[in-house]
Amino acid sequence: MRLRQLGAMNLSVSPIGIGLAALGRPGYINLGHADDLERIYDVAAMEARAHRVLDAAYQGGVRYFDAARSYGRGEAFLGSWLASRGLAPGDVTVGSKWGYVYTADWQVTAELHEVKEHSLEVLQRQWGESQALLGAHLDLYQIHSATLESGVLTNTAVLDELARLKSTGVAIGLTVSGPRQAAVIEQALETRIDGEPLFACVQATWNLLERSAGVAMARAHAAGMGVIVKEVLANGCLTERNAAPDFADKMAALHAEAARLETTIDGLALAGVLAQPWASVVLSGAARIEHLVSNLQALDVAWDAEADAKLAHLAESAEAYWSRRSDLRWN
Ligand SMILES: NC(=O)c1ccc[n+]([C@@H]2O[C@H](COP(=O)([O-])OP(=O)(O)OC[C@H]3O[C@@H](n4cnc5c(N)ncnc54)[C@H](OP(=O)(O)O)[C@@H]3O)[C@@H](O)[C@H]2O)c1
């Protein structure tokens, strides 16, 4: 994969990156997650699985790795992989996130899997924890799922602390979620400390079903921010796995275009995101090597105007998308 610069930062990334949301903890919302992990939750076994998938990603040319404090042992697995493979800071680009606290205690089912708290106390504590696990490898530190409601973008104590971290050389970013991603991105674009833009990178959900943040992501890119795209397979809904009867018509359209472009459903869905000129990195969330390899084939798909036209009707309202996502079962 040809590397590119992440926004205006001196960080090089691959067009496809990998995220550890499904690799770092027993429970997650992706369709079929329990099957993916073969219901083997022994810590050493899950670490070995994560390392095998990370090896396959590295061999496939992936050079951006995305973790978070709330992904259970995701940062620890990534840290031990970097060390055991002899990778030095700068050999790959590493991003992580603060603001969600993992509360599932290594269980698949839990009353609460993660608790969001965008406070100064959590930032300082989690920065220390991320540093201990990733050290000098940690290039990008992102607010996890910033929303207008969390108030983090008007919390001056937090913003000042982020500016202090930025002055130590780590790039500062944010991830957004929910039906109002675009409004949060717009507010982030206006967020300055001492006249300087604070945020160098935004991570947002964009896929063939949820396109509402596209204009704001393009504005962020034009303003020199890095743009990382997450949930590009809609947590598995844009894969062969989605047998939901009310999705059958859309699945038929996906199949027809995948056949025409000689690819798979996930390859097609990923290619549709790679085709967005403002996408710096498109994240694979694969927890199985064969899924990762299938995802990487999206690089060879010749997405075109016909695919754009034939699949435009898949787009749904942000409210509908996020309401269905919130019904996805942790498994
Ligand atoms: N708020 C945030 O900041 C936030 C939120 C969500 C995600 N993210 C980031 O984005 C990354 C990716 O997102 P995501 O994992 O949530 O969702 P996603 O990429 O939309 O979906 C991944 C799911 O699709 C499945 N899949 C992939 N290729 C497949 C194939 N060929 N056939 C069948 N199934 C296939 C995967 O199954 P397998 O697991 O079996 O491979 C996995 O269940 C995360 O790891 C994380 O780094 C960030």
Side-chain angles (χ1 to χ4, degrees):
M1 267 187 264
R2 200 189 312 198
L3 299 186
R4 64 211 16 202
Q5 196 178 340
L6 183 57
M9 291 164 275
N10 183 22
L11 295 172
S12 64
V13 292
S14 45
I16 296 184
I18 188 161
L20 283 92
L23 287 167
R25 54 189 159 175
Y28 190 43
I29 60 169
N30 284 351
L31 291 183
H33 184 243
D35 302 332
D36 304 335
L37 301 182
E38 299 161 289
R39 292 175 177 74
I40 300 170
Y41 304 126
D42 167 73
V43 172
M46 282 196 60
E47 182 171 35
R49 167 190 295 280
H51 285 191
R52 288 193 298 275
V53 174
L54 295 171
D55 281 338
Y58 188 84
Q59 276 141 30
V62 170
R63 295 295 181 270
Y64 177 70
F65 296 80
D66 192 72
R69 283 302 310 127
S70 66
Y71 295 168
R73 287 184 168 85
E75 286 183 325
F77 293 169
L78 180 55
S80 60
W81 176 74
L82 291 163
S84 62
R85 285 5 180 216
L87 290 164
D91 287 349
V92 299
T93 294
V94 171
S96 195
K97 311 179 192 83
W98 69 275
Y100 261 119
V101 179
Y102 179 67
T103 54
D105 192 26
W106 209 243
Q107 302 304 306
V108 172
T109 51
E111 204 175 312
L112 278 177
H113 286 264
E114 51 195 16
V115 173
K116 186 190 284 190
E117 187 187 331
H118 290 156
S119 66
L120 179 61
E121 189 273 327
V122 168
L123 169 57
Q124 292 174 330
R125 186 180 79 233
Q126 291 197 324
W127 171 250
E129 294 164 349
S130 296
Q131 276 286 294
L133 293 165
L134 295 168
H137 284 284
L138 186 50
D139 302 299
L140 169 66
Y141 210 44
Q142 306 159 94
I143 306 173
H144 201 159
S145 293
T147 56
L148 300 179
E149 296 75 22
S150 84
V152 66
L153 294 182
T154 52
N155 183 328
T156 48
V158 166
L159 298 178
D160 288 345
E161 179 66 4
L162 290 172
R164 188 190 67 74
L165 289 178
K166 179 183 168 191
S167 69
T168 68
V170 66
I172 297 298
L174 76 160
T175 86
V176 292
S177 291
R180 300 171 71 192
Q181 294 187 105
V184 183
I185 296 171
E186 296 295 346
Q187 194 173 344
L189 276 165
E190 304 310 316
T191 304
R192 292 171 174 272
I193 301 288
D194 303 334
E196 286 300 311
L198 175 60
F199 298 108
C201 190
V202 62
Q203 178 175 149
T205 295
W206 193 97
N207 57 49
L208 298 180
L209 306 178
E210 177 21 343
R211 307 180 191 202
S212 64
V215 172
M217 293 162 88
R219 272 179 37 75
H221 182 259
M225 287 175 82
V227 176
I228 301 173
V229 192
K230 60 180 169 94
E231 298 185 311
V232 298
L233 298 178
N235 306 109
C237 298
L238 286 167
T239 73
E240 293 282 359
R241 285 189 161 147
N242 187 355
D246 62 359
F247 197 76
D249 292 351
K250 292 181 177 181
M251 187 56 86
L254 288 165
H255 270 298
E257 279 305 288
R260 182 176 71 82
L261 295 174
E262 298 172 357
T263 185
T264 57
I265 300 294
D266 61 294
L268 180 73
L270 248 153
V273 186
L274 286 165
Q276 305 308 314
W278 38 260
S280 314
V281 182
V282 173
L283 289 176
S284 166
R288 299 171 76 115
I289 292 176
E290 63 268 26
H291 288 163
L292 172 72
V293 170
S294 176
N295 294 172
L296 294 177
Q297 281 157 6
L299 293 159
D300 307 322
V301 174
W303 182 271
D304 55 19
E306 185 174 346
D308 262 337
K310 292 255 179 75
L311 299 175
H313 72 286
L314 264 68
E316 48 193 42
S317 74
E319 285 68 26
Y321 177 88
W322 290 94
S323 134
R324 192 191 54 249
R325 183 184 182 279
S326 60
D327 293 339
L328 289 176
R329 202 173 46 78
W330 288 79
N331 69 95

